Amino acid sequence: MGLTRWIAVFGVVLALSGCGYNDFQRLDEQTKSRWAEVLNQYQRRADLVPNLVATVKGEASFEQETLTRVVEARARATSIQATPELVDNPEAFRKFQAAQGELSGALSRLLVVSENYPALRANQGFQDLRVQLEGTENRITVARNQYIQAVQEYNVLARSFPNNLTAMVFGYEVKPSLQVQDEAAISRPPAVNFESPASR
């Protein structure tokens, strides 16, 4: 290779390192890693649901509609092929978020309703599952927050000049962040029902 070619290659390397190419590589990998952890925690939660539902079914008078919603929400959440590449498809990403949000809502309802059943509250297996589920929800929150931070750092790089030129040349598109699915619903206080199951 001639001296001119070496100089050209060296110039290209300098240009790429100065325009954020290496930063894109690092932040893209970090974002994928954070997303993989989000998926890992969602899977952990999905794996807890069958045992939780089976335990609750032991309470013969438990609301069947609540259990059905949990089972159906889990089926929808697990039917979506959750891969690290999901973040590059905005429509699939939105559907995945919606399905996970639906499962979160169904599980929250299940736990609220279970308070009306003394036999369930006294069931150690149910209490253990509840603790595991609450711990998993906390892990999901942490994983989601870390993913949001990684996406924010990546997106700032992708939108900043001159890095946005590098992004355009190499196809680094802005990544979607996790959103609250129903902001209107979470702004309303939850309904509280203190009636016992027998009085309904």
Side-chain angles (χ1 to χ4, degrees):
M1 186 181 286
L3 180 61
T4 307
R5 292 187 78 162
W6 277 112
I7 292 172
V9 168
F10 185 68
V12 168
V13 169
L14 279 179
L16 288 177
S17 63
C19 63
Y21 180 79
N22 290 335
D23 289 333
F24 275 111
Q25 299 301 309
R26 177 178 57 81
L27 294 178
D28 188 49
E29 287 303 315
Q30 178 178 291
T31 304
K32 288 177 182 173
S33 171
R34 299 289 194 226
W35 179 244
E37 183 57 21
V38 170
L39 295 180
N40 181 42
Q41 296 307 327
Y42 278 140
Q43 184 60 54
R44 177 186 171 96
R45 178 176 70 177
D47 291 344
L48 286 172
V49 171
N51 288 337
L52 187 65
V53 169
T55 303
V56 171
K57 276 185 178 176
E59 177 62 48
S61 61
F62 196 83
E63 298 177 7
Q64 188 60 41
E65 181 185 352
T66 301
L67 280 176
T68 301
R69 283 185 186 165
V70 170
V71 171
E72 290 175 353
R74 180 188 184 269
R76 280 189 287 276
T78 56
S79 70
I80 297 172
Q81 184 66 26
T83 64
E85 291 74 28
L86 186 67
V87 298
D88 297 324
N89 183 334
E91 182 60 23
F93 189 76
R94 187 195 61 74
K95 287 179 181 176
F96 178 80
Q97 281 193 90
Q100 292 298 334
E102 187 180 343
L103 180 54
S104 293
L107 286 170
S108 294
R109 172 75 180 148
L110 174 69
L111 295 179
V112 168
V113 170
S114 70
E115 290 298 315
N116 293 327
Y117 295 84
L120 267 181
R121 290 201 310 268
N123 181 315
Q124 187 59 48
F126 177 76
Q127 292 306 323
D128 290 346
L129 285 166
R130 183 178 189 142
V131 167
Q132 289 181 54
L133 184 60
E134 288 170 355
T136 300
E137 291 293 347
N138 289 337
R139 289 187 186 95
I140 287 171
T141 299
V142 169
R144 284 172 55 98
N145 286 340
Q146 290 175 341
Y147 172 75
I148 289 167
Q149 289 169 0
V151 167
Q152 180 183 22
E153 193 176 349
Y154 173 92
N155 286 347
V156 166
L157 181 70
R159 290 179 172 143
S160 300
F161 182 81
N163 298 318
N164 60 340
L165 301 176
T166 304
M168 191 170 49
V169 169
F170 289 100
Y172 288 111
E173 296 182 6
V174 170
K175 295 183 184 293
S177 190
L178 293 165
Q179 303 292 326
V180 175
Q181 289 302 311
D182 191 349
E183 293 182 22
I186 66 167
S187 66
R188 292 191 303 268
V192 179
N193 184 353
F194 290 103
E195 295 178 15
S196 66
S199 66
R200 282 183 295 193

